[in-house]
Amino acid sequence: MAEIELRGIEKRYGEVPVLKGVSLKIQDGEFLTLVGPSGCGKSTLLRIIAGLEDQDAGEVSVGGRTVDGARPKDRDVAMVFQSYALYPHLTVFDNIALPLRTRRLSFAQRLPLIGGLLPGRTGIEKTIRVEVEQAAAMLDVAHLLHRKPGQLSGGQRQRVALGRAMVRHPTVFLMDEPLSNLDAKLRVQMRAEITALHRRLGVTFVYVTHDQSEAMTMADRVAVVIGGELLQVGPPDELYRDPRDLKVAEMIGSPKINVVARGHWADDRPILSAALAPQTKHLAFRPEAAVLTTPTAGLPGGTVTDLENLGSDIFVHVALRDGSETVVIRTAPDEPRLSLGRAVGLKVDAARLLQFDEAGRRCGDIEQVAA
Amino acid sequence: MSVMALAHRRARPAARRRQHQAAEATVGWLAVSPALILLICLLFGPAAAVILFSFTDWQLGASTFRFVGTENFAALWADPPFWKALINTCIYVAIVVPGTVGLGLATALLIEASPSLRGFYRAVHFLPVMSTMSAMAVVWGTMLHPSIGLVNRTLAVFGMTGINWLRDEHTALLAVALIGIWQGFGFAMVLFVSGLKAVPQQLYDAAAVDGADGLFDRLRIVTLPMLGPVTMFVIVLTASRAFEVFDSVRVLTQGGPNYASEVLLNRLYSESFDYLRTGYGAALTVVYLAIVIALTIAQARFIERRVHYS
């Protein structure tokens, strides 16, 4: 059993606060991604869980056991790094075998040359060989065991790094942007492989990424970290549908959510069936939450400035007539083609319109949408 | 259009291309000529002259010389001081290289381990490298003086009787070698420090998660392998510098006592300039050059094979 619990984690580098009191509970066997822009503190949080860095305040427990001050190797966690961090002078076999050797062989048995002569070593090495070969076979790198990391492709290195992490059956996997050094096609493929691995091993995965699409496609739950704060945790579709903060709404979803200032869509116009809350300052809606119409008096509208044809969808960029904002609307490819510069009207689905106050917090409709 | 005109038209580009190639070759030779002239005057010329002299009986300052074939080399082969010098040089290299590399690496690790006063320690350890060996040798000569030297006086405080380090057959070469280590390890340290900075932190992190977080394991699994290329470079550099040992021997022992600290370059200098046997000295130089070139080739091969990662 390895649920992870973080209680009020704080971390600062000198005067700069990196984490401002993060509390989070990760269930046993869950796949949780930490997503946020660069420098938001998500990697630091992962390193604190791993024990590679010490927090300034707060507690970490893994499997119900407080691990503050415990060394990484005593926390029963495995980690996969962005740069793979394979030992370049060791073969793939030795790379994968290393965590087993450091744990099972005594100090004397690990010594070069004389270590091999000590009693017991041969037997341990035999079981290690079996386990390394099993892990390698599972990740489809069994034919590469005698090679050095320098002779492998990026995807193969990533698999070896996964193998090194899983060979000793840790209860927690920590992954720090493991796919960001791969090309786009391989990244999509490895996403699927990692989620399959998670289902197969059934242990807790904590996965750090800045790529919201990775977070959305892979995770059971997504935790959005921005500016050292944990803004929201929830299943991907909940974050997409029901963001509690404007920053979360903007982080999740591609293309980005449309945000317009309330002033541009004055209350007195009959654009909305729902009444806006008095404190509402920003209105936001997803590209699929609005439809384009012919220009209509009383409805917001603008001119088409760009068309993005993805085959399955066409994203229409509309520069609003009464403001500087551009919004993006999703249309189906079978709808009549629009031409650039054409004037259109905009009809937003009031039920899917999100309201945010001055500080970017959700307001107004929150109870209604959550229900 | 006539056939002739057509042929003429076709030939013209070819001719122009030839002309162009010739011009390019001229420019190329012009461009390399300064380097080429310098190389011939400063390197190949003197080397050829030395090889030529090694087959003569020329003495420095004499107006005539005679070709004597391989007589000089035969004399060299039969000369016990030459063999003594060759063996001593090898012993010197065998002491100085591991000493310099080990001490340089240890100092670099210690300096990098603690964040305070890094710059100061680096500068202090680098000072001997910057100093002139012959001047420092005089200082060492004073320190190793049997009666007034700091070393023996310090030993006396602990009730031990020092020896005449530089005049004792058993310690003269060792003392010179230790001075060689003292002078060179700062340079090795600087190279190791820069090598250590290039070791990716993620490897140490991975090692910590994998359970290799003790000093010994970190060194064995991350630090030493990642320093492989730097270490090879330091070894090559130290070895070639140790092979050239001369100033300290010349100033402190003159190769004595009884050839106990005689080294190749000192032998070469004595034969050529003390005894003015230039032909013999040239033969010695040829042997020395051959050894150095052989070592360089061997080391280059070794480096290419052993330390290539990415």
Side-chain angles (χ1 to χ4, degrees):
Chain A
M1 294 302 279
E3 74 275 356
I4 301 169
E5 199 171 348
L6 306 172
R7 286 179 292 269
I9 301 294
E10 284 175 33
K11 177 77 184 174
R12 47 177 65 244
Y13 290 126
E15 285 301 296
V16 188
V18 185
L19 293 171
K20 306 168 186 165
V22 173
S23 296
L24 175 63
K25 204 167 175 178
I26 304 166
Q27 306 299 327
D28 180 38
E30 184 176 31
F31 194 133
L32 180 118
T33 56
L34 291 167
V35 67
S38 307
C40 71
K42 56 192 190 301
S43 286
T44 307
L45 193 60
L46 195 75
R47 293 171 59 81
I48 287 173
I49 299 174
L52 293 170
E53 254 169 80
D54 291 325
Q55 67 272 32
D56 295 328
E59 279 180 4
V60 181
S61 66
V62 176
R65 187 170 62 98
T66 306
V67 292
D68 301 318
R71 295 195 290 178
K73 66 171 184 180
D74 299 326
R75 296 188 177 200
D76 203 14
V77 299
M79 190 152 169
V80 178
F81 297 86
Q82 180 177 352
S83 64
Y84 321 128
L86 299 174
Y87 309 109
H89 60 292
L90 297 181
T91 60
V92 168
F93 179 88
D94 289 331
N95 263 288
I96 299 178
L98 190 93
L100 297 180
R101 287 189 174 140
T102 53
R103 277 176 173 73
R104 295 186 192 165
L105 296 174
S106 68
F107 180 80
Q109 285 172 324
R110 290 205 300 274
L111 286 175
L113 303 175
I114 46 171
L117 306 173
L118 292 176
R121 159 122 184 196
T122 326
I124 299 173
E125 277 292 333
K126 224 176 255 171
T127 59
I128 288 177
R129 171 160 290 277
V130 172
E131 287 174 51
V132 169
E133 277 165 2
Q134 272 172 1
M138 196 163 154
L139 291 161
D140 201 19
V141 290
H143 57 297
L144 304 172
L145 283 176
H146 59 280
R147 293 216 201 154
K148 297 260 173 86
Q151 300 164 297
L152 305 180
S153 70
Q156 289 169 333
R157 286 184 213 188
Q158 190 55 68
R159 288 208 184 96
V160 175
L162 283 171
R164 184 177 65 182
M166 60 180 259
V167 71
R168 63 188 166 83
H169 305 293
T171 49
V172 175
F173 264 74
L174 305 174
M175 303 195 180
D176 190 1
E177 310 226 8
L179 304 185
S180 49
N181 284 3
L182 301 179
D183 64 61
K185 199 176 160 197
L186 198 55
R187 206 178 302 162
V188 173
Q189 184 195 334
M190 285 302 287
R191 265 188 214 170
E193 286 189 26
I194 289 177
T195 44
L197 188 70
H198 172 249
R199 276 194 296 272
R200 202 155 154 185
L201 300 176
V203 300
T204 314
F205 273 47
V206 184
Y207 186 104
V208 161
T209 179
H210 66 271
D211 181 348
Q212 63 91 23
S213 60
E214 263 177 35
M216 297 289 281
T217 49
M218 297 172 78
D220 299 327
R221 280 198 308 159
V222 178
V224 181
V225 183
I226 292 175
E229 283 174 287
L230 185 60
L231 292 182
Q232 191 172 349
V233 191
D237 52 339
E238 185 188 308
L239 290 190
Y240 186 81
R241 204 168 21 84
D242 187 20
R244 301 300 164 104
D245 194 293
L246 188 56
K247 290 183 207 136
V248 176
E250 286 180 324
M251 181 81 217
I252 302 294
S254 172
K256 227 164 109 172
I257 195 165
N258 298 305
V259 182
V260 290
R262 175 180 184 154
H264 289 146
W265 285 2
D267 310 27
D268 51 8
R269 290 201 201 162
I271 51 163
L272 305 162
S273 56
L276 298 182
Q279 70 270 38
T280 297
K281 281 281 183 287
H282 306 281
L283 303 172
F285 58 94
R286 297 284 175 193
E288 65 276 13
V291 287
L292 294 174
T293 63
T294 48
T296 316
L299 271 187
T303 46
V304 176
T305 57
D306 200 4
L307 296 166
E308 274 181 84
N309 191 348
L310 299 185
S312 54
D313 303 295
I314 297 174
F315 290 106
V316 183
H317 295 236
V318 179
L320 293 181
R321 160 172 79 222
D322 39 7
S324 55
E325 281 109 334
T326 300
V327 295
V328 179
I329 309 300
R330 192 183 79 183
T331 59
D334 49 356
E335 281 177 38
R337 283 292 164 96
L338 293 162
S339 50
L340 294 183
R342 190 167 149 191
V344 288
L346 206 59
K347 200 169 156 195
V348 181
D349 179 359
R352 289 195 276 173
L353 187 76
L354 309 173
Q355 304 176 42
F356 297 93
D357 69 10
E358 181 114 52
R361 279 186 301 268
R362 217 17 215 290
C363 60
D365 55 332
I366 190 132
E367 298 82 9
Q368 175 202 333
V369 174
Chain B
M1 199 185 287
S2 75
V3 180
M4 280 296 286
L6 204 70
H8 184 66
R9 264 191 127 183
R10 231 183 255 152
R12 223 194 288 151
R16 208 180 295 149
R17 206 179 309 132
R18 263 201 302 279
Q19 225 171 2
H20 180 74
Q21 275 171 350
E24 208 166 62
T26 315
V27 172
W29 280 108
L30 274 176
V32 297
S33 61
L36 201 64
I37 291 169
L38 282 176
L39 270 178
I40 289 172
C41 291
L42 299 176
L43 226 62
F44 300 136
V50 164
I51 294 173
L52 185 76
F53 283 142
S54 69
F55 295 106
T56 71
D57 69 345
W58 190 54
Q59 300 205 328
L60 194 66
S63 50
T64 56
F65 61 82
R66 184 170 63 85
F67 279 97
V68 295
T70 55
E71 207 173 87
N72 283 326
F73 291 95
L76 202 64
W77 184 264
D79 190 14
F82 161 72
W83 289 107
K84 186 77 180 157
L86 183 62
I87 292 167
N88 277 347
T89 306
C90 293
I91 295 175
Y92 181 87
V93 172
I95 298 173
V96 168
V97 171
T100 307
V101 172
L103 201 59
L105 180 61
T107 321
L109 287 172
L110 286 175
I111 288 178
E112 281 303 296
S114 130
S116 57
L117 293 178
R118 256 182 213 171
F120 172 74
Y121 287 126
R122 270 205 297 264
V124 164
H125 288 105
F126 197 65
L127 275 180
V129 183
M130 308 287 289
S131 58
T132 315
M133 190 56 192
S134 42
M136 286 302 113
V138 174
V139 177
W140 275 102
T142 319
M143 296 230 304
L144 294 170
H145 189 279
S147 50
I148 60 162
L150 189 66
V151 175
N152 279 3
R153 286 196 169 194
T154 312
L155 286 176
V157 171
F158 295 101
M160 284 179 276
T161 331
I163 45 172
N164 192 346
W165 300 97
L166 297 169
R167 297 278 168 274
D168 188 310
E169 275 189 41
H170 302 291
T171 56
L173 185 62
L174 184 69
V176 173
L178 291 180
I179 295 171
I181 294 175
W182 167 82
Q183 211 223 350
F185 87 91
F187 195 59
M189 171 210 70
V190 168
L191 291 173
F192 279 128
V193 165
S194 68
L196 283 174
K197 287 194 191 306
V199 179
Q201 179 60 37
Q202 288 202 336
L203 276 186
Y204 286 115
D205 292 344
V209 174
D210 288 342
D213 57 357
L215 175 69
F216 167 75
D217 281 328
R218 276 164 67 98
L219 275 179
R220 186 174 63 93
I221 290 165
V222 182
T223 313
L224 292 184
M226 293 309 285
L227 284 181
V230 177
T231 312
M232 252 354 265
F233 182 66
V234 171
I235 289 175
V236 169
L237 215 69
T238 315
S240 52
R241 279 171 67 154
F243 224 81
E244 293 170 354
V245 57
F246 173 68
D247 352 25
S248 51
V249 170
R250 192 72 200 164
V251 173
L252 291 172
T253 67
Q254 288 85 43
N258 193 21
Y259 298 116
S261 62
E262 185 66 292
V263 291
L264 275 182
L265 280 197
N266 190 54
R267 187 93 215 107
L268 196 159
Y269 183 89
S270 304
E271 290 295 345
S272 306
F273 299 106
D274 290 347
Y275 311 136
L276 303 181
R277 295 166 63 192
T278 312
Y280 184 84
L284 230 164
T285 312
V286 170
V287 171
Y288 174 76
L289 275 179
I291 295 174
V292 169
I293 290 172
L295 272 181
T296 312
I297 293 173
Q299 285 166 335
R301 290 261 167 90
F302 186 71
I303 293 173
E304 270 172 27
R305 226 189 32 233
R306 280 301 297 275
V307 275
H308 246 276
Y309 291 147
S310 45

